[in-house]
Amino acid sequence: GLHADRYQLGQRIFRIERSLAEVGGHLRVGHPKTAAARLDVTLPRWLPVVIDQHPAAYSPGTDGLLFTARRGEPIRRNAFRLRILLPVADTLDAPWEDPDVNAVRTRCNR
């Protein structure tokens, strides 16, 4: 997840340094599996504006995450996909049929 202390306002690039995995129903923070997974992601021009406005409306979660579930905990991947990614993809008339987080990351990083 994107942490408040690792994000610089107005920047269009952030580095993926950690991963979040669900193991046995518990969320675990760790390092990406491969060096290739530690990559710089360039954000679309409009996205930093949205990210910069977010902390004014919502406090960071208990672990410093900028975007969290209702009680401040990390957003689980499936919940993110169902509640956020699919509705946004429908609104944007996304060119892929069944988007998931990896497909979006791959397409946005081209």
Side-chain angles (χ1 to χ4, degrees), residues 81-82 84-99:
R81 183 176 177 279
L82 292 173
I84 298 168
L85 183 62
L86 292 178
V88 168
D90 285 344
T91 300
L92 298 175
D93 197 23
W96 52 88
E97 290 186 23
D98 190 16

Side-chain angles (χ1 to χ4, degrees), residues 2 54 58-76 84:
L2 189 56
H54 188 77
Y58 302 95
S59 297
T62 54
D63 293 333
L65 291 172
L66 283 177
F67 301 98
T68 63
R70 291 184 185 125
R71 294 180 295 226
E73 71 273 8
I75 301 171
R76 293 176 184 270
I84 298 168

Side-chain angles (χ1 to χ4, degrees), residues 1 6 14-19 29-32 37-40:
R6 296 188 180 178
F14 70 91
R15 183 156 182 79
I16 295 176
E17 298 174 338
R18 296 185 292 188
S19 64
V29 176
H31 297 288
R38 292 185 180 115
L39 51 93
D40 291 332

Side-chain angles (χ1 to χ4, degrees), residues 21-28 76:
E22 187 169 352
V23 180
H26 299 282
L27 294 174
R28 305 272 189 241
R76 293 176 184 270

